[in-house]
Amino acid sequence: MKPTMEILTKLQENSKKHHDEVFTRLFRYMLRPDIYFVAYQHLYANRGAGTKGINEETADGFSEKYVEQIIEALRTETYRPKPVRRTYIKKSNGKMRPLGLPTFTDKLVQEVIRMILESVYEPIFSNNSHGFRSGRSCHTALTQIKNQFIGARWFVEGDIKGCFNNIDHTILTKIIGKKIKDARFIKLVHLFLKSGYMENWKYYGTYSGCPQGGIISPILANIYLNELDNFMEKIKQDFDNRTPYQLTAEYKKVMNKRSSLSQKIKRCEAGARRDGFIEEYNNLSQQIYKIPAKLCNDKKLMYVRYADDFLIAVNGNKQDCEWIKAKLTEFIHNDLNMELSQEKTLITHSSICARFLGYDVRIRRSQQIKAWKKTKQRTMNNSVELLIPLEDKIQSFLFSRGIVRQRKDNGKMEPFRRNSLLRQTDLEIVSTYDAELRGICNYYSLAVNYSKLNYFSYLMEYSCLKTLATKHRTKISKIISKCRMANKRWGIPYQTKSGMKRKRLTKIYEIDRKKCEDIFPRAITIYAKGKTTFDDRLKAKVCEVCGRTDSERYEIHHVNKVKNLKGKEPWEQIMIAKRRKTMVVCHECHQKIHHGF
């Protein structure tokens, strides 16, 4: 039997070649055991593999029999997804974001559904969509803006009210039904949408939305919002109007006068009259760089989306932006059964910053002249500028973490110790600061004002030093002297198997700013070989603890982190030696590991 992953790769290739192709009989791929081993391989290494839903299920205990039970329930159509466990995480604005945590069995089935949906839909998704897609990220969306929004006059910042919570299940099912004609597969997706959630031991039904935290929620949201991408393509085709390249009347007038003076200078003999012509010619040469050359009467629309955030750039006037906003409002209300926030969907002139994915975006109006090939041109004019919102993002981060405080005498920021880290080891303190520093510097590596993070780096370093000095009840100078390295650097020493090493804070010039994903990665994903290591290890039928080969059932024992193991039990010593989070054991040994009998 051909591995299921090879079949899905063929499906993906067909979807890329024939965008209008309709797929049938996809449910049969969910009845193949090998795809569940691949799904488990995708899930077991994640942090959420050990997170419980409404029951005690985790990645621990996976086996061939476990897969057989899932397939049998799917075959007889008795499989029913369990409600997700509702929990909340804090958002940057202080509000709480609801998350739905499925059981591990539901995660496994959802991962299989996700792989099938991805093979069908990934090749037909718009190139303007960057959220929750393989090979794409916030950086690819921002790079596309940098390359394609050149010369834009206006920005339209899009905001859909409660997008993920308001996805209409009926509309989503109809959208999937256009591409996939398989009643059992669509019914299973619909069951997951309607599974509901548990909060405070009480069941609540779900009548709309995709719970954030589910495996299939991101791709279902992309399938839903792909309708918006297609609508924007139609708007673009109707709106775009390219006109021939024309010079402005003012620019033509100055150029003609300059050309006439050039001829007079050539014919005129040396003297005061010729010097006057040359002076006038030079004045016109300076003036010409301050006058718009091209008559910008053509219309153009550019669009980029990341999840439910999107930014539209318009070459045109404000009335065009109002027309686009009205069309969007009508489409989102009538076709997607959602609401476009009129207060947050802003129309901004491109000389003023528009906020997108934590960056400020604007178009330069620069008359700076630079040499380009054999001429001099205003190379910076009309180019896109990505900026770090220093006050909104960097300063708020520093104050919220207690890294700085405001001085009373002059109101300036000064580094301060973090009392919340005083109980941690020196290595953990420096690692925490370094992870935060590298995270922010990596994310804002595309910004033109990246050098402004030098001061942020200084504040982080001295806050770290003050925290270490407070912990050891000493001075900063003594910490630096004790941990001194070459090149005026300092670092915390720690022991590894290969010898002594030092953990130091990263400098912002050490961040690789050129590293960024391709804007348009290959749509076709060549999957790994059909068989996984879990296939081989389970089918070998050898217990990795006692060596038994005659057990009726073999299971995978899973732990969240190898470093948390103490090494007191024999099975812990085996996992530490192999550096693996998983181990194939017989059913009897698995019971002993968990229950000690």
Side-chain angles (χ1 to χ4, degrees):
M1 185 174 67
K2 186 181 287 188
T4 310
M5 300 313 293
E6 289 185 21
I7 297 171
L8 292 186
T9 304
K10 289 291 183 183
L11 285 178
Q12 202 172 36
E13 290 171 354
N14 290 338
S15 184
K16 184 186 179 185
K17 291 175 184 176
H18 312 287
H19 281 203
D20 297 328
E21 184 172 352
V22 175
F23 293 86
T24 59
R25 301 181 66 195
L26 294 180
F27 189 79
R28 58 181 172 167
Y29 302 128
M30 301 204 64
L31 306 180
R32 290 169 159 247
D34 62 332
I35 197 171
Y36 289 91
F37 288 95
V38 178
Y40 182 80
Q41 194 164 12
H42 291 169
L43 297 177
Y44 86 97
N46 298 337
R47 287 185 182 179
T51 305
K52 297 173 183 178
I54 62 168
N55 58 21
E56 297 296 313
E57 284 183 1
T58 63
D60 184 47
F62 180 79
S63 64
E64 288 180 302
K65 189 174 180 181
Y66 182 85
V67 172
E68 288 170 4
Q69 290 172 350
I70 294 173
I71 291 174
E72 184 59 29
L74 289 169
R75 181 181 287 112
T76 57
E77 297 188 28
T78 57
Y79 182 85
R80 293 292 180 271
K82 291 181 173 58
V84 298
R85 177 168 64 86
R86 173 67 66 88
T87 186
Y88 294 89
I89 59 171
K90 197 171 184 179
K91 295 167 70 174
S92 58
N93 59 6
K95 295 181 180 179
M96 302 301 287
R97 185 193 304 278
L99 288 182
L101 303 177
T103 63
F104 187 76
T105 301
D106 290 342
K107 284 182 185 177
L108 201 65
V109 177
Q110 284 190 41
E111 176 62 16
V112 174
I113 294 172
R114 186 200 64 79
M115 288 189 287
I116 294 171
L117 287 174
E118 190 178 68
S119 64
V120 172
Y121 279 99
E122 182 62 32
I124 66 170
F125 281 150
S126 170
N127 280 327
N128 300 319
S129 168
H130 295 264
F132 312 124
R133 293 181 65 188
S134 177
R136 293 175 182 245
S137 65
C138 294
H139 276 188
T140 60
L142 292 161
T143 305
Q144 185 174 348
I145 287 172
K146 190 176 181 180
N147 294 339
Q148 295 186 4
F149 282 27
I150 296 170
R153 292 291 186 87
W154 296 89
F155 292 132
V156 180
E157 304 172 53
D159 185 88
I160 300 173
K161 286 186 178 178
C163 179
F164 290 96
N165 296 330
N166 293 317
I167 290 176
D168 191 293
H169 294 168
T170 306
I171 295 174
L172 177 59
T173 306
K174 286 180 181 177
I175 292 169
I176 296 173
K178 295 176 187 176
K179 192 74 178 171
I180 298 173
K181 302 293 184 184
D182 189 330
R184 289 197 296 171
F185 185 83
I186 294 174
K187 180 185 175 183
L188 182 62
V189 173
H190 197 260
L191 285 172
F192 274 106
L193 291 171
K194 295 294 185 182
S195 61
Y197 65 93
M198 296 287 290
E199 186 175 6
N200 296 326
W201 303 101
K202 189 176 180 181
Y203 173 80
Y204 297 89
T206 48
Y207 305 102
S208 65
C210 291
Q212 295 182 58
I215 305 292
I216 58 172
S217 295
I219 193 164
L220 290 179
N222 268 338
I223 291 169
Y224 198 81
L225 293 174
N226 189 53
E227 299 296 302
L228 175 63
D229 300 337
N230 294 336
F231 175 75
M232 288 306 302
E233 284 294 329
K234 293 176 184 176
I235 290 286
K236 178 178 172 62
Q237 290 172 8
D238 296 338
F239 182 81
D240 285 6
N241 181 24
R242 196 168 185 92
T243 57
Y245 186 91
Q246 293 180 345
L247 297 176
T248 60
E250 189 182 1
Y251 188 84
K252 279 183 181 179
K253 184 179 177 181
V254 176
M255 284 295 288
N256 290 336
K257 193 174 181 180
R258 188 168 170 267
S259 179
S260 176
L261 280 170
S262 178
Q263 294 299 321
K264 288 180 181 179
I265 291 168
K266 288 179 182 178
R267 291 195 299 265
C268 192
E269 295 180 359
R273 189 163 177 246
R274 188 174 187 273
D275 292 342
F277 288 151
I278 291 172
E279 185 179 354
E280 189 176 355
Y281 180 89
N282 290 334
N283 290 336
L284 288 173
S285 296
Q286 293 295 323
Q287 186 181 348
I288 208 167
Y289 289 117
K290 299 177 183 179
I291 300 171
K294 184 178 180 292
L295 187 65
C296 299
N297 57 350
D298 54 344
K299 293 189 176 182
K300 189 178 179 183
L301 183 148
M302 292 79 72
Y303 161 81
V304 169
R305 179 178 67 82
Y306 185 92
D308 58 336
D309 294 331
F310 59 90
L311 185 66
I312 302 169
V314 180
N315 272 1
N317 52 42
K318 192 171 183 179
Q319 287 72 28
D320 295 326
C321 298
E322 296 285 357
W323 176 78
I324 291 167
K325 183 178 177 180
K327 285 284 186 183
L328 272 171
T329 303
E330 183 183 355
F331 173 80
I332 290 172
H333 181 266
N334 295 339
D335 291 58
L336 299 182
N337 196 21
M338 289 180 173
E339 189 177 348
L340 188 71
S341 174
Q342 299 300 316
E343 300 81 20
K344 294 183 180 179
T345 303
L346 307 175
I347 296 174
T348 313
H349 193 268
S350 60
S351 60
I352 303 169
C353 290
R355 185 65 56 82
F356 185 67
L357 297 180
Y359 274 77
D360 280 340
V361 185
R362 74 180 179 192
I363 305 297
R364 282 191 181 101
R365 263 60 175 185
S366 172
Q367 305 302 323
Q368 187 177 358
I369 301 163
K370 289 189 177 182
W372 188 75
K373 293 184 178 180
K374 295 183 180 180
T375 62
K376 290 183 178 180
Q377 292 190 6
R378 291 170 283 186
T379 56
M380 305 297 286
N381 197 35
N382 285 329
S383 61
V384 180
E385 209 171 22
L386 299 175
L387 300 165
I388 306 170
L390 294 168
E391 286 190 16
D392 291 352
K393 298 296 180 182
I394 305 302
Q395 284 190 24
S396 62
F397 170 81
L398 292 170
F399 280 110
S400 65
R401 300 296 175 97
I403 296 168
V404 298
R405 67 177 178 181
Q406 202 165 17
R407 297 184 64 171
K408 293 180 180 179
D409 52 352
N410 56 14
K412 291 185 178 180
M413 293 186 297
E414 66 173 354
F416 194 66
R417 66 179 183 272
R418 292 170 74 174
N419 294 327
S420 59
L421 300 180
L422 292 177
R423 291 179 179 271
Q424 296 186 10
T425 65
D426 292 355
L427 180 60
E428 287 172 337
I429 291 171
V430 176
S431 297
T432 300
Y433 274 93
D434 191 55
E436 292 170 347
L437 178 63
R438 283 187 294 108
I440 287 178
C441 290
N442 271 316
Y443 187 73
Y444 287 110
S445 61
L446 298 177
V448 296
N449 60 341
Y450 180 76
S451 60
K452 296 284 186 181
L453 292 178
N454 269 311
Y455 187 53
F456 166 72
S457 176
Y458 157 78
L459 292 172
M460 291 289 284
E461 181 176 2
Y462 275 85
S463 173
C464 181
L465 285 168
K466 282 190 174 184
T467 304
L468 291 170
T470 304
K471 176 182 170 64
H472 294 287
R473 299 182 181 181
T474 185
K475 296 179 181 179
I476 290 176
S477 58
K478 290 187 177 180
I479 295 290
I480 295 173
S481 177
K482 181 182 176 182
C483 305
R484 188 174 297 281
M485 298 168 58
N487 300 323
K488 298 181 180 180
R489 302 290 292 274
W490 63 272
I492 300 297
Y494 65 98
Q495 186 67 42
T496 66
K497 289 184 178 180
S498 57
M500 186 67 71
K501 291 186 178 181
R502 285 182 179 268
K503 181 67 180 179
R504 55 186 175 83
L505 288 180
T506 305
K507 297 290 185 181
I508 71 165
Y509 59 79
E510 295 173 339
I511 303 293
D512 185 6
R513 298 180 64 192
K514 294 180 181 179
K515 187 178 179 183
C516 186
E517 296 92 337
D518 188 9
I519 298 175
F520 302 118
R522 293 184 307 159
I524 298 300
T525 304
I526 304 302
Y527 290 105
K529 59 181 182 178
K531 247 188 175 182
T532 68
T533 55
F534 294 110
D535 276 317
D536 298 331
R537 289 165 67 194
L538 280 170
K539 288 177 181 177
K541 297 189 183 301
V542 177
C543 178
E544 295 178 6
V545 174
C546 67
R548 187 175 175 181
T549 58
D550 57 348
S551 178
E552 294 181 0
R553 182 174 173 181
Y554 291 88
E555 302 168 342
I556 289 180
H557 177 61
H558 176 276
V559 295
N560 267 355
K561 293 180 181 178
V562 176
K563 71 176 185 179
N564 291 340
L565 300 176
K566 306 297 182 183
K568 294 180 179 179
E569 300 293 332
W571 64 269
E572 290 182 336
Q573 295 169 8
I574 293 169
M575 296 189 86
I576 292 169
K578 291 186 175 183
R579 298 184 189 178
R580 277 184 173 172
K581 295 171 68 174
T582 59
M583 180 171 59
V584 175
V585 294
C586 61
H587 180 68
E588 292 75 13
C589 284
H590 205 194
Q591 291 296 311
K592 288 179 182 178
I593 289 170
H594 282 290
H595 307 295
F597 56 81

